[in-house]
Amino acid sequence: SVTATEYYGTGAIGSKLFREDAQCNLTAGCCAGIAITTGDTTLAVHNVLLGRQVGRRMICGDNNFISGNNAFKFIHRGKCNIAIGLNVGTSFTQGATVNSNIFLGRYVANCQTASTSSAIIIGNGAGKCGTANSSVVIGASAGQGVLGQTHTNNIFLGQSAGMAISTGGSNIAIGQGAGKCLCKSGSNIFLGISAGKCEFRGSNNIALGAGALCGIDAGEMVAGKRDHNIALGTNAGAGVSSGDTNVLI
């Protein structure tokens, strides 16, 4: 008869159970955490890395929980992150510092490359391309952003909310498609399905209600600019492509 008494590749060579290494790192999966230097407590400590190639190049990170094939595959440093899902954060570069983030869902932050911190991104494909700092993004394809651009202090809740954000900051868009085309806009509040959907670069607007300040003609919205407007009610100001300091009911 054959009896298995030891397992290999589970965080400690020859470990009889799935257990921590000398720096309290727990790894499981092909090539997971293979760059961690065993015995050096000044580098990677107190990490949980689960899945194929998870944290493959991590050499100095601590207190991370990373799970899902290829998650954080190329990152060298980062701390206090929770990342769960297939291909989460796979493109963070060698020099990126990624701290105190929560990434949940397939392809979340998949193409982000720059340093980021204090972001909460949840939903398949959410925050996929643009770098989000100190932002809350929840919903499938919400806050996908623009590759190579960074936005800060935004709240996007709902499928495709804030999807096209580039460098705009301090926006709140809640509802399916709300603020979908926001690019360089700042300090807007859009609440409701498709509220402010086609707003491109206007700032300091408030739209409450489904379709409010939606912007029916996307082409005119790119050319125009709306600032300091208030629209209250379903489709209020939906056809307005430019103009400032209006109250639309």
Side-chain angles (χ1 to χ4, degrees), residues 130-176:
T131 300
N133 275 326
S134 301
S135 295
V136 177
V137 179
I138 300 176
S141 300
Q144 281 199 349
V146 177
L147 189 63
Q149 301 298 320
T150 299
H151 63 90
T152 305
N153 297 323
N154 291 298
I155 298 175
F156 300 135
L157 308 181
Q159 182 178 347
S160 299
M163 182 175 177
I165 190 67
S166 176
T167 57
S170 301
N171 297 289
I172 299 174
I174 299 176
Q176 181 180 347

Side-chain angles (χ1 to χ4, degrees), residues 67-88:
S67 177
N69 289 350
N70 303 314
F72 277 35
K73 181 177 179 180
F74 296 116
I75 195 169
H76 279 208
R77 59 185 57 79
K79 62 182 180 180
C80 301
N81 297 290
I82 298 174
I84 301 174
L86 176 67
N87 292 326
V88 172

Side-chain angles (χ1 to χ4, degrees), residues 20-101:
E20 298 173 334
D21 63 13
Q23 293 98 262
C24 299
N25 296 299
L26 193 60
T27 64
C30 178
C31 297
I34 61 172
I36 293 174
T37 303
T38 303
D40 190 341
T41 58
T42 66
L43 297 177
V45 296
H46 300 289
N47 297 292
V48 178
L49 308 175
L50 308 177
R52 182 181 179 84
Q53 307 222 48
V54 170
R56 176 172 181 153
R57 295 186 182 178
M58 183 177 290
I59 58 174
C60 50
D62 63 85
N63 294 290
N64 297 291
F65 183 97
I66 316 297
S67 177
N69 289 350
N70 303 314
F72 277 35
K73 181 177 179 180
F74 296 116
I75 195 169
H76 279 208
R77 59 185 57 79
K79 62 182 180 180
C80 301
N81 297 290
I82 298 174
I84 301 174
L86 176 67
N87 292 326
V88 172
T90 58
S91 299
F92 284 119
T93 59
Q94 173 180 330
T97 299
V98 181
N99 297 331
S100 303
N101 300 287

Side-chain angles (χ1 to χ4, degrees), residues 207-233:
L208 308 180
L213 285 182
C214 175
I216 295 174
D217 191 322
E220 290 183 359
M221 292 303 302
V222 173
K225 190 172 184 287
R226 303 179 299 191
D227 295 325
H228 303 283
N229 296 292
I230 298 174
L232 306 177

